Amino acid sequence: MSSAHKNLSIFSTDNLPDITEKRFAIVVAEWNEEVTNALADGAHKTLLTYGAQEDNILRVTVPGSYELSYGAQKMAQREDIDAVICIGCVIQGETKHNDYINHAVAQGLTNVSLKYDKPVVFGVLTPNTEQQALDRAGGIHGNKGDEAAITAVKMLKF
Ligand SMILES: Nc1c(NC[C@H](O)[C@H](O)[C@H](O)CO)[nH]c(=O)[nH]c1=O
Ligand SMILES: CC(=O)[C@@H](O)COP(=O)(O)O
């Protein structure tokens, strides 16, 4: 397996932009909240670690990952937000519902980012099982929330 026993959250922090004055929105889906809260906490802590100010981090929730696109749009259209980090976890079920959600969110977040000319980061886990999700929300494969946050930071160099 490509990710077997690997920490997938190891990333370079060379040449990061100064984000002291940058303002971030973290949009968090409530579905699978044990996972999404762990991801959001990781993203929040990572932003602070690399220079963001606590008062410049706005955290909001939406019911599910499908609503992340709308939540991201409401954040991206604000003049006082420089980057949006979207957090979700869509666990495969018995039907194809997860596929429709995942494709909709991926395309939706891309559309918002391009429409408002701001980084909108896809921090959505799409695991087959809850354990795979937990492994990527502070477990053996790291924390995708950390990765999402550093991605937002790096994109602010543009
Ligand atoms: N099953 C999961 C969902 N389902 C809910 C949808 O995201 C959406 O809220 C609903 O279809 C109404 O529009 N959402 C997740 O984030 N994760 C899941 O595993
Ligand atoms: C991904 C989801 O929406 C989750 O509720 C799985 O539902 P289902 O088992 O009906 O595919």
Side-chain angles (χ1 to χ4, degrees):
M1 295 287 284
S2 62
S3 58
H5 311 298
K6 291 180 181 176
N7 180 339
L8 305 175
S9 298
I10 298 173
F11 44 75
S12 168
T13 58
D14 298 336
N15 303 313
L16 295 180
D18 178 3
I19 61 170
T20 308
E21 303 303 322
K22 297 299 184 180
R23 299 147 305 178
F24 299 87
I26 304 176
V27 186
V28 188
E30 295 171 343
W31 261 78
N32 302 309
E33 63 180 2
E34 176 187 358
V35 174
T36 61
N37 284 336
L39 295 171
D41 289 348
H44 199 132
K45 291 174 183 174
T46 299
L47 291 175
L48 295 174
T49 297
Y50 292 101
Q53 302 302 304
E54 180 62 49
D55 288 346
N56 289 342
I57 301 173
L58 173 62
R59 193 157 158 173
V60 298
T61 62
V62 294
S65 292
Y66 185 83
E67 285 74 38
L68 286 172
S69 297
Y70 185 76
Q73 177 171 285
K74 301 304 285 185
M75 292 294 104
Q77 70 188 22
R78 292 176 53 152
E79 292 185 6
D80 63 342
I81 294 294
D82 298 302
V84 183
I85 298 164
C86 294
I87 299 295
C89 176
V90 182
I91 300 176
Q92 182 173 341
E94 295 178 351
T95 72
K96 294 180 180 178
H97 194 210
N98 63 292
D99 289 336
Y100 286 92
I101 296 169
N102 293 334
H103 288 297
V105 175
Q107 189 60 61
L109 297 186
T110 297
N111 294 343
V112 171
S113 181
L114 297 176
K115 178 177 181 179
Y116 291 98
D117 192 28
K118 291 180 181 176
V120 176
V121 178
F122 183 82
V124 181
L125 295 181
T126 58
N128 299 311
T129 66
E130 184 177 10
Q131 187 57 52
Q132 286 181 354
L134 294 170
D135 290 345
R136 290 156 176 81
I140 62 172
H141 292 317
N143 189 319
K144 287 289 184 185
D146 298 3
E147 298 171 45
I150 206 68
T151 298
V153 172
K154 290 181 175 181
M155 290 304 291
L156 288 173
K157 70 185 178 185
F158 289 102

